Amino acid sequence: MAQGAVALVTGATSGIGVEIARRLVGDGFRVAVSGRSRERGERVVDELGDAARFVPSDALNPGEGARLVAAVRAEFGRLDVLVNNAAIDHTGVLTEVSEDEVRDTFAVNTLAPMNLLIAAAAAMREQGEGGSIINVTSRLASIGVPTMGIYSASKGAMLAFTRAAAVDLAPENIRVNAVAPGMTRTPLFQEWLDGLPDPEAEAARVAAAIPLGRIAEPADVAAVVAFLASPDAAYLTGTSIPVEGGYLAT
């Protein structure tokens, strides 16, 4: 990776994305923090310091992938790492899910990151120094869970695309990998817990189903993303690393 390497992290104004941006800045990257909320984005870059810049983005805008990559290169001069992290959740009884819900979930979780990956890869090819693309998927890309079918499918499509893109881009030395988190203590997870009759009991139940006995912290996911972004992962491409405490091994 070039000195002063630049990483773009989408969905970096909350949850796992903030922690990924924080870790990459700590590892010496200059980081483009991307998201829809300027207020939250500016708060994140104020914390991270001079190495970070907020680049606003709405994944649903036509042509947003190419525009976002161009904006990052205009700000930093290059792009070396893309972390495709932005996503929305979806739950619902499968036979009651509407066409609009399916379309909206795939628009954000699948089509937008695919288009961004393509734009980022084109920029990395033009630079001629390779790069690393990391798609944040989910444990649900590999298993079925009641009410989560549409979300699972949107993430499963990104897992398949990760493998296909890795093969396509290998001649350019652009590595494409996925990180698949399990239950993680994000604000969204806490919001879900707080809406239950007994949040503490539910958190204990979830943790008990995980072989390592605890729910992941955002830093657990960020550490794996940082590894894949680093030269230490130079021979890894087309793989998916589960960060779920052994849940899929049971």
Side-chain angles (χ1 to χ4, degrees), residues 60-145:
L60 295 180
N61 289 336
E64 185 65 6
R67 189 209 65 79
L68 179 55
V69 168
V72 172
R73 295 179 83 191
E75 179 69 39
F76 290 100
R78 60 184 302 112
L79 177 62
D80 303 284
V81 172
L82 166 64
V83 183
N84 251 330
N85 172 68
I88 58 173
D89 199 8
H90 180 274
T91 59
V93 177
L94 188 59
T95 54
E96 299 174 5
V97 174
S98 69
E99 288 187 15
D100 285 345
E101 289 176 85
V102 175
R103 188 179 299 109
D104 291 348
T105 303
F106 271 79
V108 176
N109 291 2
T110 310
L111 299 181
M114 288 174 75
N115 287 326
L116 181 55
L117 184 154
I118 291 166
M124 292 172 184
R125 180 178 61 188
E126 181 183 309
Q127 291 166 187
E129 298 177 37
S132 176
I133 296 173
I134 301 126
N135 296 318
V136 179
T137 59
S138 169
R139 63 173 183 156
L140 298 180
S142 301
I143 60 171
V145 170

Side-chain angles (χ1 to χ4, degrees), residues 8-217:
L8 165 60
V9 184
T10 67
T13 60
S14 65
I16 291 172
V18 173
E19 194 61 41
I20 291 171
R22 184 179 292 121
R23 174 62 187 259
L24 292 178
V25 166
D27 286 353
F29 284 88
R30 294 180 291 159
V31 176
V33 171
S34 179
R36 288 182 297 176
S37 171
R38 179 171 292 276
E39 180 182 356
R40 290 195 314 226
E42 295 292 357
R43 192 159 56 238
V44 171
V45 298
D46 284 347
E47 177 208 329
L48 297 181
D50 291 341
R53 297 287 186 276
F54 175 61
V55 184
S57 177
D58 186 338
L60 295 180
N61 289 336
E64 185 65 6
R67 189 209 65 79
L68 179 55
V69 168
V72 172
R73 295 179 83 191
E75 179 69 39
F76 290 100
R78 60 184 302 112
L79 177 62
D80 303 284
V81 172
L82 166 64
V83 183
N84 251 330
N85 172 68
I88 58 173
D89 199 8
H90 180 274
T91 59
V93 177
L94 188 59
T95 54
E96 299 174 5
V97 174
S98 69
E99 288 187 15
D100 285 345
E101 289 176 85
V102 175
R103 188 179 299 109
D104 291 348
T105 303
F106 271 79
V108 176
N109 291 2
T110 310
L111 299 181
M114 288 174 75
N115 287 326
L116 181 55
L117 184 154
I118 291 166
M124 292 172 184
R125 180 178 61 188
E126 181 183 309
Q127 291 166 187
E129 298 177 37
S132 176
I133 296 173
I134 301 126
N135 296 318
V136 179
T137 59
S138 169
R139 63 173 183 156
L140 298 180
S142 301
I143 60 171
V145 170
T147 76
M148 297 294 292
I150 306 305
Y151 179 84
S152 295
S154 71
K155 290 296 190 175
M158 281 307 297
L159 176 57
F161 188 57
T162 295
R163 292 168 175 154
V167 174
D168 271 341
L169 297 173
E172 312 292 341
N173 194 33
I174 299 170
R175 299 181 294 106
V176 187
N177 294 290
V179 173
M183 284 287 196
T184 307
R185 287 192 181 276
T186 63
L188 189 63
F189 174 79
Q190 191 61 49
E191 182 181 328
W192 170 71
L193 272 185
D194 291 342
L196 298 175
D198 191 343
E200 190 173 319
E202 183 61 20
R205 185 195 68 78
V206 171
I210 299 169
L212 285 181
R214 67 175 178 87
I215 297 163
E217 299 293 337

